[in-house]
């Protein structure tokens, strides 16, 4: 799996958009970008994933650069409950033998402040 | 579905004792993963199974650790003998290739303290 680089921590004001960057410059053509978050002491929770197109769901938006070497997770209106560690992961396509295997880095600790 | 179920949620034991952690994956998921999380090393993949067969155990720290999956709905991670450095939160996750989103679902974890 490609290595990812994330800032160790970020702050965001409640109600504002939180933009979390991730660098994955060695990503391969068949690797997807996944984002998970881990709220204190809980198991990691899936947020969103994409290959090369921008994606949006009820939780967040994912913007992937055209060269796919970096991405940004956007929480449009951050709340206090969004305070968590956010992990950016790259993983091979589902049809690959090692598709399920994920390597988690250190993630970004997002603190949403009132 | 109730999600991935792990037991116990907390385990406190003494050094040298055997510890068994349990996991029930989401029904229909054919992959099961065991992770360990510590402050020093973050979230590490220990081993994963596909259709009850261990596929990659390269993350298992040493012979004191063993994992089994006797059937599709149950897996155990055993530490024998346990040591204080095994203190961590252990997560189980399950996944299936067949779903469109290919999402890995995690359990709530077992917090292990070895005294």
């Amino acid at each position: 799996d490609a290595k990812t680089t994330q800032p160790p921590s970020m702050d965001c004001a409640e109600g504002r958009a939180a933009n979390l960057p991730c660098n994955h410059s060695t990503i391969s053509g068949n690797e997807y970008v996944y984002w998970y978050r881990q709220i204190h002491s809980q198991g990691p929770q899936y947020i969103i994933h994409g290959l090369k197109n921008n994606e949006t769901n009820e939780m967040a938006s994912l913007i992937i650069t055209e060269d796919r070497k970096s991405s940004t997770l956007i929480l449009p209106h951050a709340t206090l409950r969004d305070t968590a560690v956010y992990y950016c992961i790259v993983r091979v396509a589902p049809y690959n033998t090692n598709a399920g295997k994920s390597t988690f880095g250190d993630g970004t600790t997002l603190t949403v402040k009132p | 579905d109730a999600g991935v179920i792990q037991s116990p949620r907390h385990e406190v034991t003494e050094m040298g004792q055997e510890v068994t952690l349990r996991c029930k994956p989401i029904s229909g998921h054919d992959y099961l993963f065991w992770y360990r999380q510590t402050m020093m090393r973050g979230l590490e993949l220990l081993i994963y199974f596909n259709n009850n067969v261990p596929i990659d155990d390269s993350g298992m720290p040493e012979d004191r650790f063993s994992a089994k999956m006797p059937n599709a709905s149950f897996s155990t991670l055993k530490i024998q003998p346990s040591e204080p450095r095994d203190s961590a939160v252990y997560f189980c996750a399950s996944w299936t290739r067949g779903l469109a989103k290919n999402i890995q679902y995690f359990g709530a974890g077992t917090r292990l303290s070895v005294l």
Side-chain angles (χ1 to χ4, degrees), chain B:
Chain B
D1 201 310
V4 177
I5 300 173
Q6 293 187 244
S7 64
R9 290 295 312 279
H10 303 274
E11 177 78 37
V12 180
T13 190
E14 293 185 347
M15 182 174 63
Q17 296 297 307
E18 177 180 296
V19 175
T20 299
L21 312 182
R22 297 171 176 80
C23 176
K24 175 179 167 55
I26 292 174
S27 177
H29 283 194
D30 50 355
Y31 283 79
L32 183 139
F33 306 81
W34 282 101
Y35 289 85
R36 178 175 67 176
Q37 187 172 38
T38 61
M39 288 294 292
M40 291 295 294
R41 301 176 67 87
L43 195 60
E44 305 173 275
L45 177 64
L46 299 178
I47 184 172
Y48 76 95
F49 296 82
N50 177 217
N51 291 324
N52 313 336
V53 176
I55 302 299
D56 185 345
D57 65 353
S58 59
M60 295 287 264
E62 48 197 277
D63 292 345
R64 297 184 297 107
F65 286 70
S66 62
K68 294 182 180 179
M69 192 164 185
N71 58 62
S73 59
F74 183 66
S75 176
T76 59
L77 178 66
K78 185 177 294 186
I79 308 172
Q80 166 64 16
S82 58
E83 296 183 2
R85 58 192 169 119
D86 301 330
S87 297
V89 181
Y90 291 81
F91 290 103
C92 176
S94 71
W95 177 78
T96 181
R97 193 191 297 271
L99 293 176
K101 289 186 174 181
N102 297 298
I103 299 166
Q104 206 170 64
Y105 292 88
F106 284 77
T110 295
R111 182 173 297 275
L112 173 65
S113 297
V114 183
L115 306 177

Side-chain angles (χ1 to χ4, degrees), chain A residues 4 7 21 28 38-39 44 47 50 54 61 66 68-72 74 88 91 97-98 102 109 111:
Chain A
T4 62
S28 300
Q38 186 175 24
I39 296 172
I47 301 173
N54 297 339
S61 295
E66 192 169 343
R68 301 205 328 118
K69 294 184 176 183
S70 65
S71 61
T72 301
I74 301 173
C88 169
R91 208 157 81 202
T97 303
N98 292 320
S102 295
T109 298
T111 302

